[in-house]
Amino acid sequence: MSVISRGFSGRGNAETANLPPGQYLTTDFPVLSAGPTPHIPLDRWEFTIRDEKNALLRRWDWKSFRELPTESPTVDLHCVTRWSKLGTSWDGVSLDTLLSDVHADASYVMAHSYGDYTTNIPLHELKNRKAWIAFRFDGKDLEPEHGGPARLLVPHLYLWKSAKWVRGLQFMREDKPGFWEGLGYHIYGDPWREQRYSGDQ
Ligand SMILES: Nc1nc2c(c(=O)[nH]1)N[C@H]1C(S)=C(S)[C@@H](COP(=O)(O)O)O[C@H]1N2
Ligand SMILES: [Mo]
């Protein structure tokens, strides 16, 4: 009884309200990767923050990264191919923690991944508990297909901004397109404003 009423009324209405325009709900977790899945041994993994000229500002290896305080956000995911998955649970390190004492003369970052994927994001979109480097999904170590050992998680933007296998952020003074943005996807990618392609408002 409780299962039926939750499925049909309360939860259904709440979920529809959380669905951006043009999206449909899915409960599985599709894998979308532009290339092969890189496999990064933890003893070779690193996450770096670099300035515009590529100078190293911060570096964590897996051990020092995992010693940082973690958060456990529950967030909704919206892929530009129109599936949304609501209420996903993650463990990760907040970008507020990683960027806390880094001073940048820059308003944008390029996220770089192992395997060469890139995506651009305004720096302020990574702050104020809106973005994480996530290493666990649903209580389990993040699967390689979904970006393990660790991926960027910026759930308030379309999911292509959440770079899997992330290896670092580079500050940029001016905005530049990353991989999908350079192929015609929107430079910003707000699902609530349906910013799918570069011509969209
Ligand atoms: N490194 C990397 N990150 C990536 C991608 C990719 O191809 N390579 N695809 C993006 C796209 S288009 C989406 S929708 C999500 C998909 O994440 P998932 O495979 O965990 O569902 O990852 C994003 N991050
Ligand atoms: Mo996507």
Side-chain angles (χ1 to χ4, degrees), residues 29-35 78-81 83 90 113-114 117-118 145-147 151 159-166 179-180:
F29 195 175
V31 171
L32 282 105
S33 304
H78 309 295
C79 176
V80 74
T81 62
W83 59 268
W90 299 81
S113 293
Y114 292 96
Y117 185 85
T118 54
E145 303 77 60
H146 286 298
R151 78 181 295 168
L159 198 56
W160 88 74
K161 297 284 184 182
S162 293
K164 304 196 279 189
W165 318 294
V166 70
F179 177 77
W180 283 119

Side-chain angles (χ1 to χ4, degrees), residues 110 118-120 172 175-179 181-182 187:
M110 189 70 81
T118 54
T119 188
N120 60 304
M172 304 189 291
D175 206 3
K176 279 183 222 137
F179 177 77
E181 296 84 3
I187 197 79

Side-chain angles (χ1 to χ4, degrees), residues 141-187:
D141 289 347
L142 186 57
E143 305 272 0
E145 303 77 60
H146 286 298
R151 78 181 295 168
L152 185 58
L153 181 64
V154 196
H156 67 289
L157 300 178
Y158 279 125
L159 198 56
W160 88 74
K161 297 284 184 182
S162 293
K164 304 196 279 189
W165 318 294
V166 70
R167 68 174 164 83
L169 302 179
Q170 181 164 24
F171 290 127
M172 304 189 291
R173 234 168 276 196
E174 282 160 37
D175 206 3
K176 279 183 222 137
F179 177 77
W180 283 119
E181 296 84 3
L183 291 171
Y185 283 85
H186 199 276
I187 197 79

Side-chain angles (χ1 to χ4, degrees), residues 24-37:
Y24 67 84
L25 284 174
T26 183
T27 50
D28 56 0
F29 195 175
V31 171
L32 282 105
S33 304
T37 296

Side-chain angles (χ1 to χ4, degrees), residues 81-98:
T81 62
R82 299 186 183 270
W83 59 268
S84 289
K85 183 173 174 61
L86 305 187
T88 62
S89 15
W90 299 81
D91 295 287
V93 176
S94 169
L95 262 298
D96 294 301
T97 301
L98 295 159

